[in-house]
Amino acid sequence: MPDTAKPSIHVFGRLEPLCPSPGVGPIDLLWEAKDNTLTASCSFGRYENNKHVLQGEAVSGLHATIDWNGRKDPMSIVTITDYSVNGTFVDEEKVGQTVTLQLFDGSTVYFGSQVRIRLEQADYRYTFHHYHGRSKTESVYTHYTIGRQLGSGAFGTVFKATQKVSGSVFAIKTSWNTIDMGRAVLCAAQEAMAMMKLEHENICKLHEVFFRLDGEIADMVLEYVDGVTLDVFFDQSLSELHAKELSYQLCAAFRYVHREGVSHGDIKPNNILVAGTVRPVIKVADFGLARIKGNMNMTQLVTDHAWTAPEARQQILTHGDDVTVAMCSDWDSWAIGCIIYQLLCAKPPFRSSDPQHMGFRPNDDSINWAPLDRCSAPAQHLVKELLVEDPAHRFQVIQALGHAWLAGYVPYQVAFNGVRFTKLPAPGAVLEGTPDTSGFVDGQEEGVDVDAEGEDEDEDDMDMDVEVEAVAVRARHQSRQPPVRRRVQPRRGETYRSKAGPQQLVGRPTPPARKRAHGKH
């Protein structure tokens, strides 16, 4: 039985043997502090310089590493990376060489063999106990295999995931309540309500939602595809035709959203995602601050960024919970005006006079109209009608596709091959969606921001680059020890997971998307 006593502050998990013996006992997984640096990487294998030496014929010199990201909340993440010949098995599935998978409380971890070894002292099969993270018995984990983290923000963290039944790849956005963000799950519920109303080629699709019964965690299953965030196009000096292509798709998305009685309320380039850069397709994401006509809405929040409407903060102070969908729709129109300006001019329409509040301040800031002079008269007119300080006289996005600049335009016909990108994202920015597949894209291992404001983390939180550290550990071991050659004889009928990892599994065709809520098993 596992030790239920409160663990030492230096212990982040434990491996409990399935068949304890004098040679195989519990393994406490520790983090260490050296030279003001926190390290939480544990190596396993036959070589003596491993942190945990496992003496067995089925064990490689460097067999695997287990790493912790240092967090002590629901986003406490432990991963395992396999470097072995005979295999490392998590929940009886082979991981695959150089593949990294996430471990959950209750996961089984086998080093070298799935079956019991005759020699008791070499039976390295364990149950993993995680002192800070989530359990594998939660509903979302019975339906999805969770891959690496794609990004994080103030309202959640996004992971790559594979649906177990179909093999289809999705993104899972997990939100949880904290002392600072006690309404994060309520925000996720409101986002899910908004997205369930929307079905459009330029809107990220919601597949399903899991709400834990204690009300503390929500998991939204979303689309997943390659792409970039819209701000990649801001510094490219686009032609007016390229700017029109992106502007049309953006306006088409929000004309539909507003007609459905939903307002986004937090439009910014990080929430506008573009699938592909040859014939790009816009996807609008992150409806966490949306307002929905005729539904219960949480107290409206507003974030300060360069696309925040000038009246937004005062309206919230004045109206509180009574901020209407129409008011938020006006905010959306202003933000879209700022974005179209920047697509046309490759620079923002104004510079804020207050570095603490990046939004437009009517009494202190002014819009620089001069760069628009190089654009056509209809393009100038649309932008100037959207960037009107008084929302009562501001042009509405719902009318934009009837404006002279966009009327009659046919999208998806313009190729962007000739656009020379001076600022491409790191491989895989956090994104959602294409019209016909599914949508968050791979993010940088660290630093990809799903929500622009980010998240203030506790000082004792550690950001671990697990992959880099694990590869470095492997390189150190290989430089010190000769390679071990061993012939592997697969059992009859056995199939191995691709080295590319669970995201490459091929299964049955994806069933029609269903939107449903699940409770904890």
Side-chain angles (χ1 to χ4, degrees):
M1 296 294 292
D3 185 1
T4 57
K6 186 176 181 181
S8 164
I9 191 173
H10 295 291
V11 179
F12 67 84
R14 166 175 278 202
L15 292 174
E16 196 73 30
L18 295 186
C19 299
S21 69
V24 179
I27 299 176
D28 284 330
L29 305 176
L30 309 177
W31 63 264
E32 301 175 343
K34 293 182 179 179
D35 300 325
N36 296 321
T37 301
L38 297 176
T39 303
S41 182
C42 303
S43 58
F44 298 79
R46 288 189 297 107
Y47 293 157
E48 293 183 358
N49 54 356
N50 285 296
K51 184 172 289 188
H52 302 283
V53 178
L54 308 179
Q55 295 293 350
E57 292 185 359
V59 178
S60 297
L62 171 62
H63 198 94
T65 58
I66 293 179
D67 302 89
W68 177 46
N69 72 343
R71 298 184 61 143
K72 299 177 183 179
D73 57 24
M75 287 301 99
S76 177
I77 299 170
V78 174
T79 58
I80 186 167
T81 304
D82 182 17
Y83 301 114
S84 67
V85 175
N86 288 338
T88 301
F89 302 85
V90 173
D91 294 329
E92 301 183 358
E93 292 286 335
K94 190 174 183 180
V95 178
Q97 281 190 326
T98 71
V99 174
T100 298
L101 289 182
Q102 186 172 350
L103 295 179
F104 300 94
D105 185 57
S107 294
T108 58
V109 179
Y110 302 162
F111 297 101
S113 176
Q114 287 183 277
V115 298
R116 183 169 184 171
I117 302 296
R118 292 181 181 179
L119 297 175
E120 290 184 352
Q121 63 269 25
D123 188 1
Y124 299 119
R125 297 179 302 150
Y126 300 88
T127 299
F128 171 69
H129 298 288
H130 191 186
Y131 292 131
H132 305 290
R134 300 174 66 179
S135 169
K136 76 169 189 175
T137 60
E138 294 185 35
S139 293
V140 64
Y141 302 132
T142 66
H143 296 281
Y144 293 88
T145 299
I146 307 300
R148 67 191 184 95
Q149 180 176 327
L150 303 179
S152 62
F155 291 95
T157 299
V158 183
F159 298 92
K160 191 174 185 179
T162 304
Q163 190 177 46
K164 294 181 179 179
V165 172
S166 68
S168 299
V169 178
F170 291 91
I172 293 182
K173 179 180 178 180
T174 298
S175 301
W176 71 99
N177 291 333
T178 65
I179 295 176
D180 296 328
M181 289 298 303
R183 295 180 300 169
V185 172
L186 178 59
C187 186
Q190 184 159 303
E191 181 174 8
M193 288 175 61
M195 298 186 75
M196 287 175 68
K197 291 173 61 70
L198 305 175
E199 190 74 29
H200 189 273
E201 64 181 359
N202 296 122
I203 306 294
C204 177
K205 294 180 179 65
L206 173 68
H207 183 67
E208 58 183 335
V209 186
F210 297 82
F211 289 99
R212 211 165 72 175
L213 293 180
D214 62 8
E216 293 300 308
I217 297 180
D219 298 287
M220 297 176 58
V221 183
L222 302 162
E223 293 179 287
Y224 174 102
V225 293
D226 277 335
V228 295
T229 49
L230 186 63
D231 59 346
V232 168
F233 294 88
F234 284 173
D235 298 330
Q236 311 312 321
S237 297
L238 297 176
S239 70
E240 185 170 324
L241 181 60
H242 286 130
K244 181 185 287 191
E245 172 69 29
L246 297 172
S247 299
Y248 183 94
Q249 293 185 41
L250 186 61
C251 291
F254 281 100
R255 180 178 70 171
Y256 169 79
V257 169
H258 291 176
R259 283 180 173 176
E260 291 297 310
V262 177
S263 59
H264 190 283
D266 191 30
I267 297 176
K268 54 196 173 189
N270 276 16
N271 292 338
I272 300 168
L273 315 164
V274 186
T277 55
V278 176
R279 293 189 185 275
V281 178
I282 274 181
K283 284 286 186 175
V284 179
D286 201 342
F287 284 79
L289 298 182
R291 292 195 82 73
I292 310 166
K293 187 175 182 179
N295 287 276
M296 182 72 72
N297 290 287
M298 64 182 284
T299 300
Q300 184 65 38
L301 303 174
V302 66
T303 54
D304 284 310
H305 49 68
W307 301 270
T308 302
E311 73 278 6
R313 182 163 296 281
Q314 186 57 49
Q315 285 182 343
I316 289 176
L317 292 175
T318 302
H319 300 282
D321 291 348
D322 295 326
V323 169
T324 65
V325 172
M327 292 176 185
C328 283
S329 296
D330 290 334
W331 305 352
D332 290 350
S333 297
W334 173 274
I336 290 171
C338 291
I339 289 170
I340 295 176
Y341 180 107
Q342 203 152 350
L343 288 171
L344 288 166
C345 303
K347 61 179 64 177
F350 64 91
R351 295 292 181 184
S352 175
S353 57
D354 185 353
Q356 300 299 319
H357 300 89
M358 300 303 295
F360 185 85
R361 298 165 64 84
N363 297 326
D364 302 306
D365 300 331
S366 60
I367 295 175
N368 179 15
W369 298 112
L372 273 179
D373 291 344
R374 70 182 183 90
C375 303
S376 67
Q380 294 183 50
H381 183 264
L382 177 58
V383 173
K384 289 179 178 179
E385 290 298 304
L386 288 168
L387 295 181
V388 173
E389 294 179 20
D390 184 353
H393 298 95
R394 188 177 301 154
F395 198 76
Q396 296 298 303
V397 174
I398 205 167
Q399 306 167 286
L401 298 191
H403 185 272
W405 190 51
L406 298 177
Y409 182 78
V410 179
Y412 311 116
Q413 306 300 311
V414 177
F416 278 59
N417 306 66
V419 177
R420 301 175 68 94
F421 289 94
T422 58
K423 185 186 70 174
L424 280 174
V430 171
L431 300 191
E432 294 147 304
T434 59
D436 52 2
T437 56
S438 49
F440 260 93
V441 307
D442 274 339
Q444 304 169 48
E445 289 294 334
E446 298 178 358
V448 174
D449 195 7
V450 177
D451 184 271
E453 276 57 53
E455 179 180 16
D456 293 330
E457 298 181 356
D458 295 335
E459 291 183 359
D460 62 343
D461 283 354
M462 297 178 290
D463 290 326
M464 299 290 180
D465 190 335
V466 172
E467 182 176 351
V468 173
E469 175 65 22
V471 171
V473 170
R474 183 179 181 225
R476 290 196 297 270
H477 279 267
Q478 290 179 335
S479 66
R480 299 172 186 173
Q481 300 288 348
V484 177
R485 298 182 181 274
R486 185 172 286 108
R487 184 169 177 267
V488 179
Q489 184 66 40
R491 292 185 295 277
R492 179 177 298 178
E494 182 176 24
T495 58
Y496 288 99
R497 179 172 295 184
S498 165
K499 292 183 180 181
Q503 66 272 22
Q504 299 297 328
L505 289 177
V506 178
R508 296 189 294 274
T510 305
R514 292 179 296 166
K515 300 167 183 176
R516 61 188 180 186
H518 295 272
K520 184 179 180 180
H521 286 326

